[in-house]
Amino acid sequence: MKVALGADHGGYELKEEIKSVLDEAGVEYEDLGCDCSDSVDYPDYAVPVAEKVTAGEADRGILVCGTGIGMSIAANKVNGIRCALVHDVFSAKMTRAHNDSNVLAMGARVIGSGLAGEIVKAWLSTEHEGGRHADRIQKVAAIEQ
C-alpha cells in the first residue's frame, strides 16, 4: 500500500509524527508537503493528495490541518474522493468498512499524536465490507457524474 500525505502549517508537525507511524507499520508514503509551520493554503496540499489517489499513484491519502475541516472539504471536491474527517478510532474503522473512504483527514488542534497514530493504524487496517455499503457508494458516485 502507498499513501499520499499532505498538511498545511497547522498540521505540519502531526504529519511528521504520522510518518513515523507509517514507517513503523512498513507503509510506503509520499509526502506532498508542506514542509514547515509557515502559513500556507490547505487546498494547495489537499488537492494534490486527492489527485494522487484518483490517478492510482497512491492507494490512499492522509491530510492534516488545524481542524481537518478545510482539508476534507477541499479533497472532497475531487471526483472519486471519499474523504472522511475523523477524530476517533471507531469512526476511522467505520468510514473504511462502510464508506470505503480513500482519504483520511484529521485536525492537529483537535487530537494529539497518540490518538492520531491509533486512528491511522485503524483506518489503514480496516477493509471495506462491500455488500449493501457498495451500493450506497455507487449512489454517491453517481452524484459526481
Side-chain angles (χ1 to χ4, degrees), residues 27 31 34 64 71 87 92 129 133:
V27 175
D31 184 347
C34 75
V64 188
M71 286 291 199
H87 292 129
E129 292 178 4
H133 303 295

Side-chain angles (χ1 to χ4, degrees), residues 34-118:
C34 75
D35 58 2
C36 65
S37 57
D38 296 339
S39 184
V40 296
D41 298 329
Y42 60 83
D44 296 341
Y45 301 92
V47 172
V49 166
E51 289 175 340
K52 286 277 185 183
V53 173
T54 59
E57 297 171 19
D59 300 298
R60 297 194 199 158
I62 298 175
L63 297 167
V64 188
C65 66
T67 62
I69 297 168
M71 286 291 199
S72 64
I73 291 170
N76 278 317
K77 296 297 182 185
V78 177
N79 280 351
I81 292 301
R82 292 175 306 281
C83 179
L85 173 57
V86 173
H87 292 129
D88 64 85
V89 173
F90 177 76
S91 296
K93 290 178 181 178
M94 289 301 98
T95 192
R96 283 288 309 133
H98 291 189
N99 310 115
D100 197 20
S101 61
N102 51 13
V103 177
L104 171 68
M106 293 181 288
R109 296 177 184 145
V110 179
I111 59 173
S113 62
L115 179 54
E118 293 304 311

Side-chain angles (χ1 to χ4, degrees), residues 135-145:
D135 295 337
R136 295 168 183 158
I137 291 166
Q138 289 302 318
K139 288 182 178 187
V140 171
I143 296 167
E144 292 177 332
Q145 306 308 318

